[in-house]
Amino acid sequence: MTVDCYNDEEQLGSLLVGAEDALEIGEVARVVGTPIRVIGVTEGPDVRRGLIAVCERDSRRFEVSLVDVVFEPESNLGRVAAAYRRWLGYSS
């Protein structure tokens, strides 16, 4: 996803496009072991804030770093999230 990108902003933008393409609205995932529904992925105000998952649980909406969301193994968005973690330098 980041092959032809020249800086961090372009790479983050490319990862965001990949996440948006892979998102299945309402996909079930987990945050700290709690089931949530992912309804969107957005970019923070700068590269440091990174990619943010927009989530719902019990009719309440909240935002959490995409790094902190755990997806099912077959999830396309989970694969993008794994690539994002590697890009950030996280080990697994």
Side-chain angles (χ1 to χ4, degrees):
M1 285 181 276
T2 60
V3 171
D4 290 326
C5 298
Y6 294 102
N7 57 38
D8 287 347
E9 288 83 8
E10 286 185 13
Q11 291 174 3
L12 187 63
S14 179
L15 287 162
L16 175 60
V17 169
E20 290 171 336
D21 289 347
L23 174 67
E24 293 181 25
I25 303 291
E27 179 171 350
V28 176
R30 295 185 177 277
V31 174
V32 193
T34 303
I36 51 95
R37 292 194 178 279
V38 180
I39 59 170
V41 178
T42 186
E43 190 174 19
D46 57 38
V47 174
R48 287 182 173 190
R49 181 78 164 109
L51 298 184
I52 299 166
V54 181
C55 306
E56 279 186 345
R57 180 171 186 260
D58 298 332
S59 301
R60 297 185 67 193
R61 194 172 278 200
F62 61 95
E63 295 180 348
V64 64
S65 174
L66 185 61
V67 171
D68 295 326
V69 180
V70 177
F71 295 90
E72 294 297 322
E74 68 278 355
S75 167
N76 288 326
L77 183 53
R79 286 190 266 285
V80 174
Y84 177 55
R85 284 186 197 95
R86 280 191 303 278
W87 180 76
L88 289 172
Y90 290 172
S91 56
S92 53

